[in-house]
Amino acid sequence: MKNVICSFFCHEFQVTKRVTLHVKEFKCRNCNKQFTTDQSGNITRLTSRHKEINEVLEMMYQKKLRRKSLK
């Protein structure tokens, strides 16, 4: 039933994780499918490949913030 709601009315996104300022991970409140923003800024399904890319991006972003705060 929840998938039917999403197919008619679109997904209702909730941010679950902020990877960087521009990259976020989302979860649909209705069907619990996970999504993320891709390199073009479009919202796509969160695959294992995208999940790995987001982990590396987050690690690099956190490292950059730490270096910036030390200066």
Side-chain angles (χ1 to χ4, degrees):
M1 182 67 180
K2 292 182 179 185
N3 290 336
V4 174
I5 293 171
C6 291
S7 64
F8 284 119
F9 301 111
C10 298
H11 294 283
E12 190 175 333
F13 295 121
Q14 176 181 15
V15 176
T16 56
K17 185 176 183 182
R18 297 184 194 282
V19 179
T20 66
L21 291 175
H22 303 289
V23 179
K24 296 175 183 70
E25 291 183 3
F26 306 95
K27 183 177 178 182
C28 178
R29 292 182 186 184
N30 297 321
C31 64
N32 291 325
K33 290 183 182 176
Q34 293 181 321
F35 299 88
T36 188
T37 50
D38 63 4
Q39 64 271 13
S40 302
N42 302 320
I43 296 178
T44 59
R45 290 284 309 262
L46 184 64
T47 61
S48 59
R49 181 172 184 241
H50 286 310
K51 193 173 242 181
E52 186 178 336
I53 290 169
N54 285 352
E55 288 173 1
V56 172
L57 271 174
E58 183 180 24
M59 186 176 61
M60 291 172 61
Y61 182 70
Q62 294 299 325
K63 195 175 197 180
K64 178 183 174 183
L65 288 178
R66 282 193 301 269
R67 269 191 309 210
K68 199 172 188 178
S69 67
L70 292 176
K71 289 185 179 183

